[in-house]
Amino acid sequence: METRPTEQRISTRIANVAESATLAIDAKAKALKAQGLDVVGFGAGEPDFPTPERIARAAAKACLDPQNHRYTPTAGLPELRQAIAAKTSRDSGLVVSAAQVLVTNGGKHAIFNTFATLVDEGDEVLIPSPYWTTYPEAVKLAGGIPVEVPTSLENGFKVTPSELDKYLSPRTKLFVHVSPSNPTGAVYDLDESIALAQWLVDRDLWVMTDEIYEHLVYDDHKAWSLPVIEPRLLDKSVVINGVAKTYAMTGWRVGWMIGPADVISAAINLQSQSTSNVSNVAQRAAIEALEGPLDDVALMRAAFARRRTLIHKMLNDIPGIECPMPEGAFYAYASLHGLLNRSYHGAVPATSAELAEIILDQAKVAIVPGEAFGTQGYARLSYAMSEDDISKGITRLAELVEQSEPI
Ligand code: PMP
């Protein structure tokens, strides 16, 4: 019998996947906390609020009903698909049928399904950077090539059509859009959204639009849905969303993708061979979430807005840090260039990754270095925590910076 020439235990495709840096930092901070150390963690990408009680109660009730102990259809409970269609038309104005909805194990799974369904070997996917760390990894897993399109702090971390044109190739298939953005908190205004939508139609490209932070926008900012402002995009749009951020339900794992009928039925086939349906009880909780009012998210938004003002001011008060005002989501994305190449009790960071290690070791403050999002020299700080903790953590950071010395 012929043997394989070399033994390779892990497949090349999986060996090339990077660990989620945000989850890794969070795990390290939690491990230090478990040792009894007082760590302030700005790493986590999740609301610090409990899931509203009415939702948890609906789930508890669902647990006791034997009909929920069975499989549901792969695509999700018909009532939930209907509730998602209704919610989408209420919130973004996109009118879709329940058949265009696939319920997935969180938004992340919807993103995986989308790339797996649309991307062929060698297809290029345009991803503005800084980007949420999952996008390029999920593209690579699908056999595609992630193409980073750099943005800058000066232009609010947003891409423009003329920038995008520079990265276009005959293999470009798809553009990834997220507004409000993780990690930058940037929100595209109406004119910017129209310009992007127009560009996509003119170039005949697909778009995956991640709308998971749609309700977390501040001041006059608004999340625009590209296929709503440009209906000619409809046939080439996939919308990603979920209950995680809006209803403080990260752990329940309910998300969805919405798209043209052929894309959704292909993605249902994929899901039927991989994960099947999302937990029945979690789907029942999601129905309660979506059919109920949006008053809990209004309270969370008000709290996030106060925290945003606080963290923005405190960060910019530290010499060497520059942080634009976040417009949505719950992240501040700051330039730390002015803090590099200084001595922190003898340790001299050349990169934001090294600086993040030093800050965790010496100040017991966890931040996610920009390397995780494709931009060295920056860091993402989640402000999904109490104002007291924000003050405590940023004060510690300020003290560490104050004690640092030029080299
Ligand atoms: N999209 C973005 C931009 C996110 O930040 C997240 C969560 N960090 C998700 C999607 C996925 O959320 P989940 O899988 O928890 O639904």
Side-chain angles (χ1 to χ4, degrees):
M1 191 180 84
E2 260 189 62
T3 51
R4 282 149 54 84
T6 48
E7 214 224 313
Q8 184 175 321
R9 290 165 63 83
I10 308 297
S11 71
T12 310
R13 193 167 272 187
I14 296 303
N16 283 342
V17 176
E19 181 189 13
S20 162
T22 47
L23 294 183
I25 290 275
D26 198 43
K28 195 166 170 190
K30 281 182 180 143
L32 289 174
K33 271 189 200 164
Q35 289 170 24
L37 293 169
D38 174 26
V39 176
V40 183
F42 290 99
E46 55 183 348
D48 56 326
F49 301 99
T51 301
E53 198 174 312
R54 68 180 168 89
I55 299 171
R57 280 195 191 285
K61 191 164 155 234
C63 271
L64 297 173
D65 181 348
Q67 70 160 330
N68 298 319
H69 303 170
R70 309 260 169 241
Y71 294 126
T72 76
T74 295
L77 288 164
E79 306 92 299
L80 177 55
R81 296 172 84 194
Q82 188 53 52
I84 291 167
K87 165 255 169 284
T88 305
S89 110
R90 176 194 69 188
D91 294 349
S92 78
L94 186 67
V95 179
V96 291
S97 69
Q100 288 177 266
V101 177
L102 165 58
V103 181
T104 58
N105 283 281
K108 209 178 248 187
H109 184 210
I111 291 164
F112 265 79
N113 279 349
T114 303
F115 292 141
T117 304
L118 292 179
V119 172
D120 259 325
E121 210 66 37
D123 281 348
E124 293 179 8
V125 177
L126 297 174
I127 305 178
S129 82
Y131 49 72
W132 181 46
T133 147
T134 291
Y135 299 139
E137 299 305 324
V139 168
K140 283 192 268 173
L141 273 172
I145 302 171
V147 176
E148 294 173 28
V149 183
T151 66
S152 67
L153 190 148
E154 292 68 40
N155 65 19
F157 296 117
K158 293 177 203 171
V159 283
T160 57
S162 58
E163 272 303 302
L164 284 166
D165 265 333
K166 294 185 200 157
Y167 295 84
L168 207 57
S169 92
R171 289 308 304 262
T172 311
K173 176 154 188 189
L174 182 74
F175 170 66
V176 173
H177 184 59
V178 54
S179 174
S181 156
N182 175 6
T184 66
V187 178
Y188 286 74
D189 69 22
L190 181 57
D191 287 345
E192 292 161 341
S193 307
I194 291 173
L196 275 186
Q198 186 65 48
W199 183 82
L200 288 162
V201 169
D202 291 347
R203 303 293 181 281
D204 200 21
L205 295 178
W206 289 76
V207 60
M208 183 187 83
T209 150
D210 185 339
E211 302 184 355
I212 202 135
Y213 293 104
E214 66 185 334
H215 289 290
L216 296 176
V217 281
Y218 312 108
D219 304 331
D220 297 333
H221 297 288
K222 181 172 158 41
W224 298 96
S225 183
L226 295 187
V228 174
I229 55 182
E230 179 43 276
R232 283 179 300 163
L233 261 183
L234 263 176
D235 194 43
K236 289 198 161 183
S237 295
V238 175
V239 174
I240 305 295
N241 210 330
V243 292
K245 318 287 173 172
T246 303
Y247 302 97
M249 290 178 72
T250 46
W252 296 79
R253 311 311 301 137
V254 182
W256 54 86
M257 57 186 281
I258 296 175
D262 58 337
V263 175
I264 294 303
S265 66
I268 293 171
N269 288 346
L270 165 66
Q271 188 161 306
S272 76
Q273 301 289 11
S274 51
T275 59
S276 307
N277 66 273
V278 172
S279 155
N280 207 330
V281 169
Q283 290 192 63
R284 296 278 168 200
I287 293 173
E288 173 64 31
L290 297 178
E291 290 185 342
L294 285 167
D295 43 8
D296 289 301
V297 69
L299 293 175
M300 288 194 280
R301 182 171 51 236
F304 285 137
R306 289 192 300 276
R307 299 163 179 190
R308 171 187 80 129
T309 313
L310 176 68
I311 198 167
H312 173 257
K313 167 147 193 356
M314 289 190 79
L315 283 173
N316 283 307
D317 281 347
I318 300 177
I321 295 188
E322 190 185 347
C323 180
M325 181 60 108
E327 299 166 337
F330 39 68
Y331 308 103
Y333 204 69
S335 162
L336 306 183
H337 289 97
L339 303 186
L340 301 177
N341 300 308
R342 297 177 61 82
S343 171
Y344 297 81
H345 303 110
V348 180
T351 62
S352 43
E354 290 171 11
L355 179 63
E357 288 269 333
I358 292 171
I359 292 172
L360 185 53
D361 287 345
Q362 298 189 12
K364 302 290 176 285
V365 169
I367 61 176
V368 188
E371 281 85 345
F373 313 104
T375 52
Q376 200 281 111
Y378 295 81
R380 188 193 78 177
L381 290 88
S382 160
Y383 49 87
M385 59 169 77
S386 71
E387 286 168 78
D388 283 351
D389 278 347
I390 292 173
S391 286
K392 181 162 105 179
I394 308 296
T395 302
R396 280 193 203 170
L397 179 59
E399 283 165 4
L400 180 69
V401 171
E402 187 155 353
Q403 291 155 15
S404 70
E405 292 167 346
I407 47 164

